[in-house]
């Protein structure tokens, strides 16, 4: 009965208020329905995905309505200070060298710590999400570890499937870094092309985690392309130093491993994330000391996966 | 890639440029440019990496836009003057539009934004073809049109040398450095175009030689970033000794061949009464020199402290083809004494 009424209301929405053109459909997904009296005639401007990155918005949550503008002087002044400071740093950083570091550092660097958790402000660079966005019951929380020296991701995984009629699997939690931003909220990328290994110091609970790296893409159908590799934690009181060469990362799109693989290009990396989705209900925890990249000269492998010919032509037997 | 397809594409590349060289009709010139664009697209996208596909898409969009504007300007010229000949006197407005279209095709500043991103997405061999062969056809057309307004070409030239020098300063990716270097060198060629087309021809030939030598050097060293060059002293000591000379030739320092076009261009500009232009161009060459010297410093003048796995290989002789690099390096370093002969050759 419930399903029928849901279905009928959905159909009603479809036929009565579904706009015709793609641009209008996009608009209705952004603005609430009552604001849209007439569908627009021309496509409206959309902020360029490759230049601007909004903060993470959980699917299903309404888009933050900026209009009418809430005029707040102190917030405005804070924003001006922050953005102009970033711009000044960028400007003067160019005099020092590429990426704001002296060239000698670029030539000699073999290890670079990207994220280290040394205070509560380091947690603001990370976003935590779980399957609660799709109606699941897992929980995930991020806090500082002991002595404010590590970050502690903990929670409870639950693979109870949300009852919406379309989800078939559930039970995941994720911790993902935010895209680095230059002044005025422009996207910045990490350039890890001098390095070939990911170096982590973690203390897990024995569960298998997955590391996801997202790079900058050009086409919109590539925006969910992520490079993954496994992180098997040992559990126990001892810290674990994990070194994963970037040549081992494989490509997946929306969780599905792709047939045609290629090595990850490290000159425009956006985010790194840790995901747990091992279908085992219960509590979990992961403590991370630092996330670094390093150059291992002994590792000369370019890509770990060979591409075979798919759908080989069968010889005709006569 | 199948060898037949590769042969077809390379043949088409040659055909396109040759058609543009040989044409006296704007339509045929446009056809040659389009054949060039279409032939290099599969070569750029052959490894199917998203970055390569991105570079290919950007390149295609830019070149198609430039070709469309060129066709539009050629048609407008035919409408206004009644003839399609490239070398006949044309109406000034279409000529200006054609100049801008060809500037977009070449990657002259201020229409240069696509060049670093496109080069960054390609491997070094395709980058070499893009930096050398693909510049010939548009330059051939530029040489044939007679721009009535001298300021446009001088502005394009000076802006290119300036932005080519400045843009490459904070780069660590070698392909982007070479992209900005290409913009700067093209700026020099375009500066003297209207005063002495033969000097532009000379500059183009020297540019092709020096850039090809640089690309082949980086290909042999398998380096795409400045710090990758730092360990090449152990892999190929002779190359490490030769590369500074090649790079300084690209920068235009005597006694290398690269000094020849710069010297003659500055002389011509001074003769034409454009001493401030010549001074500015010479000063902007210093910006480019800085990043060439940076590469030289990293590769040759410093010894990277690698004594682990970057150890010297047990055999230094490489199995790769080094003959083209050897010939180009000799040409790049030692042809300055032949300047009078070169000037006489291109003046014909």
């Amino acid at each position: 009965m419930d399903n029928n009424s849901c279905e009928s209301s959905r159909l009603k929405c479809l036929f009565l208020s579904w706009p015709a053109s793609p641009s209008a459909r996009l608009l209705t997904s952004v603005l609430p329905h009552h604001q849209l009296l007439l569908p627009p005639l021309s496509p409206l401007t959309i902020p360029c995905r490759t230049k601007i990155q909004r903060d993470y918005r959980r699917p299903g949550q309404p888009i933050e309505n900026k209009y009418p503008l809430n005029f707040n002087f102190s917030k405005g002044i804070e924003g001006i200070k922050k953005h102009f400071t970033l711009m000044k740093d960028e400007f003067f950083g160019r005099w020092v060298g590429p990426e704001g570091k002296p060239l000698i550092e670029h030539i000699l660097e073999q290890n670079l710590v990207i994220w280290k958790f040394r205070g509560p402000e380091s947690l603001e660079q990370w976003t935590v999400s779980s399957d609660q966005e799709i109606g699941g019951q897992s929980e995930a929380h991020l806090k500082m570890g002991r002595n404010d020296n590590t970050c502690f991701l903990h929670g409870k995984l639950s693979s109870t499937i949300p009852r919406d009629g379309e989800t078939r699997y559930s039970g995941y939690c994720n911790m993902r870094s935010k895209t680095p931003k230059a002044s005025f909220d422009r996207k910045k990328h990490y350039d890890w092309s001098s390095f070939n290994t990911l170096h982590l110091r973690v203390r897990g609970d024995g569960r298998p985690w997955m590391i996801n790296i997202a790079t900058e893409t050009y086409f919109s159908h590539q925006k969910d392309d992520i490079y993954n590799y496994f992180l098997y934690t040992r559990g126990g009181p001892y810290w674990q130093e994990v070194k994963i060469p970037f040549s081992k990362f494989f490509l997946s799109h929306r969780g599905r491993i792709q047939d045609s693989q290629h090595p990850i290009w490290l000159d425009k990396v956006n985010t790194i994330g840790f995901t747990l989705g091992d279908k085992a209900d219960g509590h979990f925890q992961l403590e991370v000391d630092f996330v670094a990249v390093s150059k291992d000269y002994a590792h000369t492998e370019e890509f770990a996966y060979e591409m075979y010919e798919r759908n080989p032509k069968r010889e005709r037997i006569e | 890639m199948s060898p037949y397809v590769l042969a077809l594409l390379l043949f088409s590349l040659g055909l396109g440029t040759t058609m543009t060289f040989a044409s006296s009709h704007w339509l045929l010139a446009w056809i040659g440019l389009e054949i060039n664009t279409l032939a290099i697209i599969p070569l750029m996208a052959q490894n199917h990496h998203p970055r390569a596909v991105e570079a290919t898409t950007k390149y295609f969009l830019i070149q198609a836009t430039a070709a469309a504007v060129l066709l539009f300007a050629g048609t407008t010229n035919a409408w206004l003057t009644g003839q399609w000949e490239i070398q006949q006197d044309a109406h000034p407005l279409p000529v200006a539009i054609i100049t801008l279209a060809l500037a977009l095709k070449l990657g002259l500043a201020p229409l240069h934004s696509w060049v670093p991103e496109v080069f960054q997405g390609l491997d070094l061999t395709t980058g070499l073809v893009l930096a050398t062969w693909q510049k010939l056809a548009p330059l051939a057309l530029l040489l044939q049109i007679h721009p009535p307004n001298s300021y446009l070409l001088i502005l394009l030239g000076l802006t290119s040398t300036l932005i080519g020098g400045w843009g490459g300063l904070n780069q660590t990716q070698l392909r982007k450095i070479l992209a900005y270097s290409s913009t700067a060198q093209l700026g020099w060629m375009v500066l003297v175009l209207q005063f002495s087309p033969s000097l532009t021809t000379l500059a183009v030939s020297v540019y092709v030689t020096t850039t090809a030598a640089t690309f082949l050097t980086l290909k042999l060293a398998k380096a795409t970033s400045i710090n990758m060059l730092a360990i090449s002293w152990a892999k190929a000591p002779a190359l490490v000794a030769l590369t500074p000379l090649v790079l300084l030739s690209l920068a235009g320092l005597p006694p290398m061949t690269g000094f020849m076009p710069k010297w003659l261009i500055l002389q011509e500009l001074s003769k034409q009464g454009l001493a401030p232009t010549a001074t500015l161009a010479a000063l902007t060459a210093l910006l480019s020199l800085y990043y060439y010297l940076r590469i030289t410093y990293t590769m040759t003048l410093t010894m990277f402290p690698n004594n682990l796995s970057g150890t010297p290989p047990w055999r230094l002789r490489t199995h790769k083809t080094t003959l083209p690099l050897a010939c180009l390096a000799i040409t790049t370093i030692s042809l300055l004494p032949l300047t009078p002969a070169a000037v006489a050759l291109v003046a014909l």
Side-chain angles (χ1 to χ4, degrees):
Chain A
M1 196 62 163
D2 254 356
N3 280 343
N4 279 342
S5 59
C6 279
E7 195 59 39
S8 60
S9 62
R10 215 185 292 165
L11 281 170
K12 231 188 267 179
C13 292
L14 266 173
F15 286 116
L16 291 180
S17 57
W18 192 250
S21 65
S23 56
R25 277 205 288 273
L26 185 66
L27 185 66
T28 50
S29 70
V30 170
L31 290 176
H33 280 282
H34 65 268
Q35 283 191 6
L36 188 66
L37 296 172
L38 282 173
L41 291 171
S42 59
L44 300 175
T45 52
I46 301 154
C48 179
R49 180 179 59 85
T50 48
K51 299 283 183 298
I52 305 281
Q53 170 86 22
R54 293 218 183 96
D55 285 331
Y56 179 67
R57 179 184 68 89
R58 296 190 189 289
Q61 274 198 340
I63 308 257
E64 195 183 273
N65 196 1
K66 278 199 279 184
Y67 301 104
L69 283 170
N70 294 327
F71 215 67
N72 189 343
F73 258 123
S74 55
K75 238 185 165 181
I77 291 173
E78 244 180 65
I80 290 173
K81 263 196 229 166
K82 176 180 124 190
H83 290 302
F84 278 96
T85 314
L86 282 171
M87 200 163 84
K88 187 193 79 170
D89 291 338
E90 269 171 60
F91 183 75
F92 288 111
R94 284 177 183 271
W95 294 97
V96 176
E99 289 162 37
K101 307 184 285 202
L103 183 74
I104 194 78
E105 252 187 64
H106 166 79
I107 297 173
L108 289 174
E109 66 185 353
Q110 289 184 349
N111 300 288
L112 182 69
V113 177
I114 315 283
W115 289 278
K116 55 181 185 218
F117 301 93
R118 298 288 181 265
E121 60 281 351
S122 55
L123 295 183
E124 283 161 30
Q125 296 169 356
W126 294 81
T127 305
V128 173
S129 56
S130 66
D131 62 6
Q132 279 189 356
E133 297 156 12
I134 55 166
Q137 291 165 22
S138 309
E139 290 166 9
H141 310 281
L142 187 66
K143 62 176 195 187
M144 288 306 293
R146 264 191 219 166
N147 300 327
D148 278 2
N149 251 350
T150 59
C151 88
F152 192 71
L153 176 71
H154 65 104
K156 188 174 175 193
L157 216 58
S158 160
S159 50
T160 313
I161 301 168
R163 297 181 61 174
D164 54 6
E166 42 184 29
T167 313
R168 287 189 293 166
Y169 308 102
S170 183
Y172 66 85
C173 293
N174 181 42
M175 169 179 148
R176 194 172 183 179
S177 72
K178 293 186 179 161
T179 317
K181 297 229 184 107
S183 55
F184 302 100
D185 284 343
R186 286 171 301 135
K187 254 183 175 178
K188 214 164 53 159
H189 311 286
Y190 295 110
D191 182 0
W192 295 345
S193 48
S194 317
F195 308 99
N196 63 1
T197 312
L198 184 67
H199 184 173
L200 311 163
R201 189 161 184 262
V202 297
R203 187 160 58 179
D205 52 357
R207 289 182 124 176
W209 290 74
M210 188 159 249
I211 304 177
N212 317 314
I213 298 181
T215 56
E216 181 59 37
T217 53
Y218 184 62
F219 299 104
S220 56
H221 61 249
Q222 289 171 333
K223 77 171 155 53
D224 296 316
D225 276 1
I226 286 180
Y227 297 85
N228 306 320
Y229 199 68
F230 317 103
L231 170 65
Y232 290 106
T233 52
R234 225 186 279 137
Y238 299 109
W239 285 92
Q240 189 181 348
E241 298 233 354
V242 178
K243 284 193 180 170
I244 306 171
F246 287 116
S247 59
K248 302 275 188 213
F249 280 78
F250 54 85
L251 174 70
S252 70
H253 177 84
R254 303 190 74 137
R256 290 182 160 78
I257 303 176
Q258 299 301 297
D259 285 336
S260 120
Q261 292 287 332
H262 51 258
I264 179 173
W265 272 38
L266 295 157
D267 59 345
K268 277 189 181 171
V269 174
N270 277 349
T271 66
I272 193 170
F274 301 95
T275 305
L276 179 67
D278 59 351
K279 299 179 196 163
D281 291 1
H283 292 277
F284 66 86
Q285 67 184 51
L286 179 73
E287 209 172 339
V288 183
D289 184 7
F290 63 78
V291 178
V293 285
S294 67
K295 173 116 186 176
D296 183 2
Y297 284 99
H299 183 79
T300 48
E301 183 186 62
E302 285 175 8
F303 193 47
Y305 311 106
E306 269 184 39
M307 294 303 305
Y308 295 98
E309 195 189 319
R310 295 187 299 279
N311 308 315
K313 293 189 188 58
R314 249 190 294 173
E315 283 181 27
R316 281 185 63 186
I317 305 165
E318 296 197 5
Chain B
M1 193 179 270
S2 152
Y4 303 110
V5 172
L6 185 64
L8 179 69
L9 292 172
L10 291 175
F11 172 75
S12 308
L13 265 184
L15 177 71
T17 305
T18 316
M19 275 175 76
T20 308
F21 279 175
S23 67
S24 56
H25 193 288
W26 275 116
L27 275 183
L28 197 62
W30 171 77
I31 289 170
L33 291 172
E34 287 285 77
I35 290 175
N36 249 1
T37 307
L38 292 173
I40 202 162
I41 296 297
L43 288 174
M44 289 168 73
Q46 63 183 313
N47 72 354
H48 297 289
H49 193 278
R51 293 296 296 282
V53 172
E54 174 191 338
T56 312
T57 311
K58 284 178 178 168
Y59 184 76
F60 174 71
L61 290 172
I62 295 292
Q63 300 291 308
T65 310
V69 172
L70 185 82
L71 185 63
F72 165 71
T75 314
T76 310
N77 184 48
W79 194 4
L80 291 170
T81 59
Q83 50 84 24
W84 286 91
E85 283 277 324
I86 297 176
Q87 289 179 333
Q88 294 292 330
D89 284 335
H91 194 276
L93 178 62
V95 168
I97 298 175
I98 287 168
T99 311
L100 290 173
L102 293 172
L104 179 59
K105 263 211 182 274
L106 288 168
L108 286 169
L111 306 161
H112 66 285
S113 319
W114 59 273
V115 184
E117 289 296 322
V118 167
F119 273 65
Q120 179 63 12
L122 304 174
D123 59 310
L124 285 162
T125 322
T126 321
L128 167 61
V129 173
L130 217 73
T132 51
W133 188 258
Q134 294 291 82
K135 309 286 182 202
L136 296 177
L139 277 167
L141 287 176
L142 260 182
L143 278 164
Q144 292 176 70
I145 59 178
H146 303 117
N149 185 359
S150 66
Y151 295 119
L152 179 63
L153 282 176
I154 294 177
L155 190 67
L156 285 172
L158 277 180
T159 323
S160 301
T161 52
L162 203 59
I163 291 184
W166 247 324
L169 278 182
N170 257 338
Q171 300 294 338
T172 51
Q173 296 288 335
L174 288 167
R175 286 166 291 185
K176 282 193 178 171
I177 288 179
L178 287 174
Y180 282 107
S181 148
S182 148
T183 303
Q185 301 285 341
L186 285 167
W188 279 88
M189 291 171 215
V190 156
L191 262 180
V192 81
L193 190 71
Q194 52 191 315
F195 306 117
S196 175
S198 55
L199 277 184
T200 304
T201 319
L202 179 67
V204 169
S205 17
V206 172
Y207 160 72
V208 165
T209 326
T210 43
T211 305
T214 314
F215 268 98
L216 289 173
T217 307
L218 298 181
K219 196 167 161 234
L220 204 63
K222 274 199 199 159
T224 51
S225 164
I226 289 183
N227 55 11
M228 285 189 210
L229 285 174
I231 54 168
S232 46
W233 66 267
K235 288 189 245 177
L239 189 67
V240 161
L242 206 57
T243 306
L245 297 172
V246 171
L247 286 168
L248 291 177
S249 177
L250 191 53
L253 285 186
M256 268 69 73
T257 316
F259 179 58
M260 193 198 312
K262 289 201 160 71
W263 163 29
L264 295 168
I265 288 172
L266 289 175
Q267 193 176 339
E268 186 61 39
L269 287 174
S270 313
K271 272 192 215 164
Q272 298 288 337
L274 291 170
T277 310
T279 314
L280 199 56
L283 288 173
T284 52
L286 289 175
L287 293 168
S288 313
L289 177 64
Y290 185 71
Y291 53 74
Y292 297 132
L293 276 178
R294 191 181 255 176
I295 301 174
T296 312
Y297 173 76
T298 314
M299 197 171 178
T300 313
L301 302 177
T302 51
M303 201 137 144
F304 190 75
N306 58 323
N307 49 5
L308 338 142
S309 336
T311 47
W314 65 278
R315 50 188 300 167
L316 287 175
R317 206 170 155 198
T318 175
H319 285 289
K320 296 186 193 132
T321 324
T322 49
L323 183 61
L325 174 59
C327 298
L328 287 167
I330 298 297
T331 323
T332 308
I333 292 167
S334 53
L335 287 189
L336 188 65
L338 293 179
T339 305
V343 170
L345 188 67
V346 294
L348 288 169

